[in-house]
Amino acid sequence: MEQIVRAVPPDYETMRAMLEALKRRFPQAKLRACGRSLAGRTLYMLTIGPMESPVLYAGGFHGQEWMTPLLLLRFFERTAAALWEGAELPSIPVRDALCGRGIAILPCVNPDGIQIALHGAQGAGIFQAQAIQISQGDFSRWNANARGVDINHNFPAGWEALHEMERQAGITGPAPRQYGGNAPGSEPETQSLIRLCQRHVFRHALAIHSQGEEIFWEYGERTPERGRMMAKIFAASSGYQLVENGGLASHGGFKDWFIDAFARPAFTFEIGKGENPLPLSDFEGIYARLEDTLLLAALM
């Protein structure tokens, strides 16, 4: 069967078409809305299996990291094909391994940011004028949502300390990247992900970013010991390097908040190497290197 998820720029319309095609191909899966972006775009989630204690995979936090939704949608397609169509994955017998286990995939937390990164000011919808003012017409480094808030700086985990670090770095208001907002959890995208995690007991969570071939795994005193063990397994499987928080990546991220709120493991994967946005020609190699690791995360 022809592959649905291809290496093409995943603007909102393209991504939604992929989601709808995946749902048609795999009617056993569930496709649901779990929130809306600032500009009113739906945040979609695909699920496989029971939702009592699933694993959460989330991507598309930053505008320039638009390879990450493609990676998660490809992972869903490959896993679903193995589970329901008898397709083979080389390393893991998916049908047996996923019996009784659930996975939830939120491919794009920040669809407005990706739309802006791909299409410029018009991607901001009713916030177009504000986006032009913030960017001064240059969208080549845009990571934020439609009003210049970096979603992965907006979670309530050490937000005040991060905000002070931002000020010291000269980031004092809405910006294309690294501004955490005027309050923790101020953005609808952040709020949607927080509500989702409060409604479901995700046993652990993976936040997919780019780039660096790195895995972040710890945050503060509530980091569980099994998170360290899992991180070592992920590093061995992927060849990625384990790193600790530092600088403007010290606080305020989804992984940080998840660990702090629930004392359960969470990880940030920085996929690929180079300069964002990573070239689409790298996609197949990046995905092939990570498929086993993503599957391992579903089984642990």
Side-chain angles (χ1 to χ4, degrees):
M1 183 173 290
E2 185 178 351
Q3 199 162 250
I4 292 171
V5 181
R6 296 170 292 110
V8 296
D11 63 14
Y12 184 67
E13 293 75 19
T14 300
M15 187 180 65
R16 188 167 61 181
M18 287 182 183
L19 286 164
E20 291 170 352
L22 289 168
K23 175 58 179 168
R24 288 193 300 271
R25 179 176 170 186
F26 305 111
Q28 306 96 320
K30 291 183 171 61
L31 175 62
R32 64 189 73 180
C34 58
R36 287 192 176 275
S37 70
L38 187 68
R41 296 182 173 96
T42 300
L43 308 186
Y44 290 102
M45 180 172 70
L46 279 164
T47 63
I48 293 174
M51 287 294 286
E52 281 74 25
S53 184
V55 174
L56 175 64
Y57 302 78
F61 287 84
H62 288 141
Q64 296 293 315
E65 298 177 5
W66 41 262
M67 189 180 286
T68 62
L70 292 176
L71 181 131
L72 290 178
L73 290 174
R74 172 67 64 81
F75 173 60
F76 172 87
E77 182 176 18
R78 294 264 296 164
T79 303
L83 186 63
W84 292 315
E85 295 179 346
E88 291 189 5
L89 296 185
S91 57
I92 297 174
V94 170
R95 187 171 295 178
D96 294 335
L98 284 183
C99 183
R101 297 177 181 270
I103 63 175
I105 294 176
L106 181 59
C108 191
V109 174
N110 180 18
D112 299 348
I114 289 180
Q115 201 77 357
I116 293 167
L118 288 171
H119 298 302
Q122 63 181 355
I126 62 172
F127 297 91
Q128 179 171 343
Q130 190 170 347
I132 292 171
Q133 181 180 13
I134 292 167
S135 67
Q136 298 182 333
D138 178 7
F139 295 96
S140 63
R141 299 179 69 252
W142 191 277
N143 268 348
N145 74 351
R147 63 178 166 207
V149 176
D150 188 320
I151 299 304
N152 212 46
H153 281 220
N154 189 236
F155 285 88
W159 182 91
E160 291 79 6
L162 177 62
H163 204 51
E164 178 57 32
M165 293 169 69
E166 290 169 359
R167 284 196 293 269
Q168 291 175 6
I171 306 166
T172 59
R177 60 203 304 125
Q178 297 185 319
Y179 173 63
N182 59 15
S186 61
E187 303 309 296
E189 299 89 348
T190 313
Q191 294 162 15
S192 294
L193 193 44
I194 287 174
R195 286 195 301 268
L196 180 68
C197 293
Q198 291 170 338
R199 285 198 304 266
H200 300 286
V201 182
F202 296 112
R203 63 182 184 270
H204 47 269
L206 278 67
I208 310 300
H209 291 256
S210 65
Q211 48 76 38
E213 296 185 354
E214 297 173 333
I215 300 172
F216 294 80
W217 59 276
E218 50 82 33
Y219 184 74
E221 297 178 357
R222 288 172 62 78
T223 303
E225 183 57 33
R226 72 185 181 99
R228 181 193 303 271
M229 176 199 70
M230 292 169 68
K232 290 180 179 179
I233 293 171
F234 294 154
S237 170
S238 64
Y240 281 20
Q241 181 180 0
L242 296 184
V243 292
E244 297 182 355
N245 290 4
L248 286 175
S250 296
H251 304 282
F254 168 66
K255 177 266 294 177
D256 308 327
W257 171 79
F258 189 94
I259 292 172
D260 193 53
F262 304 114
R264 296 198 294 272
F267 309 89
T268 295
F269 279 60
E270 296 282 356
I271 68 168
K273 270 197 172 178
E275 184 175 341
N276 287 324
L278 296 174
L280 287 171
S281 58
D282 288 358
F283 173 70
E284 297 294 344
I286 290 171
Y287 178 80
R289 184 172 176 183
L290 288 174
E291 182 175 76
D292 286 356
T293 308
L294 296 174
L295 279 168
L296 282 170
L299 307 182
M300 296 172 74

